[in-house]
Amino acid sequence: MSNDPLYLARPIGISSSSNDGNDNTLKARPSAPVEFLVPATRVGLYIYQLLSIAEELAQLKKDDSTQSSSSSAPATTESLIKQLDNLLLSSPPTFIKPTDPTVTRGDPYNNMPPLLGEIAVQQQKQKERKEQSITNVALAPQLFEVGELMGERRQWSRLVQAERAREEASEIRRAMNIYTTNLNFNKNKYVYSGSQEEKKKMIREDRLPSATEVIRSDLDARDLYRNEVQTKLEDARAECLYQKGVGFEDVGELVGLLRETKVALDSWFGFIPDEDIRLALEAVKREEQQNR
């Protein structure tokens, strides 16, 4: 069993139901309106397209090495190489349009002045502890918590500035952040899948996470997969550039990197409701048809 109290906790979304205790509310996954998912969906289709081309090229190279390819294979190979060059190196597509929504980062301190914002957050945490039946926190730790929050706020401001710079350098990162920064979470409740005994034990040990901590853990996991998508795709771009210099002698490494990119991408999309993904795919396909 993991020692991390967050491993059995899952955030939930905001249900349209008026009954916060029903099953639909507890099953609702955090989500954002579909238009916020469209830029990341363009990224997803792009990665799937790259992998398909690279795998087809690898198969043609394999067939050619066994002299079982048809006379049209050289022309097909050149066409696939040109597609890879265009998509990865020369003319990568744009994933974000002027009409798309933007990255939205709400201030966790509600834009309140220093100290007042930290006190407000501390009071919200105290409220969450009370709702989770944690009522034996003394005054001194609460005051110490405000001091910790002041340090966290300074760190949060630095992280936001750094992330904006990274978004400017990578449209793929910004496209995926458009979705995650606009997610709607239930800020008061989450699903805990452990047993009642485990929950009681965590309460006694003051280890039961707050809803804020569960949400943060969920976002950290999404960002981890986003980073993996970006890193692996950059590695694939470098490998493509190298292969271009040697005449695409062996594209096995490129295929492997793109497959790893796809795995990370699928993991990122795994957090998103299936119906939202379907609607976003339909929206992107309509765009493609209109642009033909």
Side-chain angles (χ1 to χ4, degrees), residues 205-217:
E205 297 174 352
D206 194 15
R207 295 177 59 238
L208 194 68
S210 67
T212 300
E213 290 168 331
V214 173
I215 291 170
R216 184 179 300 171
S217 176

Side-chain angles (χ1 to χ4, degrees), residues 25-58:
T25 297
L26 295 179
K27 292 178 182 178
R29 301 168 75 180
S31 64
V34 173
E35 57 266 27
F36 292 92
L37 183 58
V38 168
T41 303
R42 297 187 190 113
V43 172
L45 290 175
Y46 166 73
I47 290 171
Y48 270 72
Q49 182 183 12
L50 284 173
L51 178 57
S52 175
I53 295 170
E55 287 180 333
E56 186 176 355
L57 178 59

